[in-house]
Structure formats: structure tokens, C-alpha cells
Amino acid sequence: IWADYGPHYVKVRKLCTLELFSIKRVEGLRPIREDEVTAMVESIFKDCSKPEKKGKALVLREYLGLMAFLHITRLTFGKRFMDESNVIDEQGEELKFILNNAITLGSKKSIFAEFLPWFSFLFKAQNEALAAHDARGASFTKKIMDEHTQARLKTGNTKNHFVDALLTLQKDYDLSDDTVTGLLWDMISAGMDTTTITVEWAMAE
């Protein structure tokens, strides 16, 4: 996301414009959006129907946040990370930890370490925590990518979601594994809060 304007930037922008966010792909992913919005509305109705909730205010942010989480993870990783009982599975808990940890580490990041790299030795613990976080995120993503690669080898089918799209286009666009991983995390981290805030703003209006 912070790449300088050059061949890499142009290549990735072309990939996103022509492939990942093309009208055809976005329309092909419409059932996922409809599923998650329907599930959210059903969950709100179910909770409002409980006798103990009658006449009480409902905090919509909780429902919007969960809908955004499930929506973005399905679009990006092709997985819901939640079972039929609405319990987040092990991989989902790992993803939530990584995202929450990213926010925590980001809020603690020193401006001196960011813009004055020769002072980095003063922030050894912080740099080690960031390195461990990056390694954990990369390991998580690699497992998801391996799962999709194996599924495609068995069935020969390619899904519309972004991880499959990136893996099948990796050679055509000469993308490194780091670039694929980075794009997936950009979509995850940028998508969830933006989706929730946008819907809340629209409802307020």
C-alpha cells in the first residue's frame, strides 16, 4: 500500500482494477454479500424477539461489526470462520487475535522509530513484537493459501473470492508470495472498519 509510483504500483493497480474489482467478479460475489446481510437481519430479529429484550435499545454496531468481519473474510479468504451455532472457529479466533494485535501494536508504534530509523535500537522490544506479529500473520495466510491450492488441485475449480483469484493470477502478473499476502491483509484490515462505519453513517442519515 505504501509502494512508490513505479512498475510495481502500476502492475498491482492494474491487477486490482481489471481482475479483483472488475464488474464481473464483484457481481459474482453478490451472493456472499446477500447471505451475510440476511444473516445479520435474522440475528437482529431473533434478538429483538426475546422477551427480556422487549422495549430495550439494540446496539447495532455489534451486529454490523460481525457482519463486516464475516463478509470481508468470505470475500478475501473464502471462509466464514464460524460454525452453524454462530461460534467462531479456531482459525477465526486466530484471525481476530491478529487483527486486534495489529491495532494494539499500531497504537503503540513510536513516531521516532517510524521516521528516524537510526533510533530503532531504542525500540528493540517493539520491533521484536512487530516481527512476531508479521510472522504470525504470514503463517496464518500461508495455511489458507495452501488449503485453496490443494482444493483447486483436487477439483480443478477456481472460486471468485480474492485468495483464489490472486493465486491463479500470480504467475500472469509475476506476483511474489509477499505481495499476495500483503494484498490479502490490505483487504481484510481496510474492509472491516470501513464497511461498519459506512453502514452506520448511512443509517444515521
Side-chain angles (χ1 to χ4, degrees):
I1 193 170
W2 301 113
D4 293 329
Y5 185 85
H8 177 73
Y9 178 92
V10 172
K11 177 176 65 176
V12 173
R13 185 178 65 180
K14 179 181 178 182
L15 168 70
C16 291
T17 303
L18 299 182
E19 305 288 354
L20 297 184
F21 300 109
S22 67
I23 294 176
K24 181 180 178 181
R25 189 177 302 279
V26 170
E27 189 61 26
L29 292 168
R30 182 174 180 173
I32 291 178
R33 299 192 295 274
E34 292 177 345
D35 283 349
E36 292 308 327
V37 172
T38 300
M40 179 187 71
V41 173
E42 289 177 350
S43 179
I44 292 173
F45 176 78
K46 182 180 178 181
D47 288 346
C48 287
S49 301
K50 294 178 180 178
E52 65 272 17
K53 294 288 184 71
K54 188 176 181 179
K56 293 184 179 179
L58 197 69
V59 182
L60 286 178
R61 184 176 181 84
E62 297 175 3
Y63 299 93
L64 292 169
L66 181 59
M67 184 272 290
F69 174 76
L70 296 173
H71 177 204
I72 298 300
T73 54
R74 285 185 68 186
L75 291 178
T76 306
F77 291 133
K79 302 185 73 172
R80 200 166 190 265
F81 298 109
M82 182 176 282
D83 61 21
E84 296 178 355
S85 302
N86 290 333
V87 177
I88 296 178
D89 62 20
E90 186 177 345
Q91 277 190 330
E93 291 293 346
E94 175 71 2
L95 176 57
K96 285 183 66 177
F97 174 84
I98 292 170
L99 291 170
N100 290 333
N101 194 45
I103 295 171
T104 302
L105 291 174
S107 65
K108 291 181 179 179
K109 198 168 186 179
S110 170
I111 190 171
F112 294 106
E114 182 75 15
F115 294 103
L116 303 173
W118 51 88
F119 285 148
S120 60
F121 69 92
L122 296 174
F123 307 97
K124 183 178 179 182
Q126 186 181 81
N127 291 335
E128 289 177 350
L130 286 169
H133 170 77
D134 288 344
R136 190 164 183 171
S139 175
F140 175 88
T141 311
K142 188 177 185 307
K143 289 178 182 177
I144 300 291
M145 291 165 63
D146 288 344
E147 288 177 7
H148 284 275
T149 299
Q150 292 300 320
R152 284 199 319 280
L153 290 175
K154 288 181 180 179
T155 64
N157 295 328
T158 301
K159 304 295 184 181
N160 267 329
H161 40 66
F162 298 139
V163 65
D164 258 11
L166 286 169
L167 290 174
T168 53
L169 295 167
Q170 190 171 9
K171 289 184 179 180
D172 294 341
Y173 283 83
D174 190 25
L175 304 174
S176 67
D177 287 345
D178 285 344
T179 298
V180 172
T181 300
L183 286 170
L184 291 172
W185 281 108
D186 283 344
M187 293 172 196
I188 286 286
S189 58
M192 289 200 300
D193 284 344
T194 305
T195 303
T196 305
I197 291 170
T198 301
V199 175
E200 284 182 330
W201 177 82
M203 292 181 71
E205 288 293 307

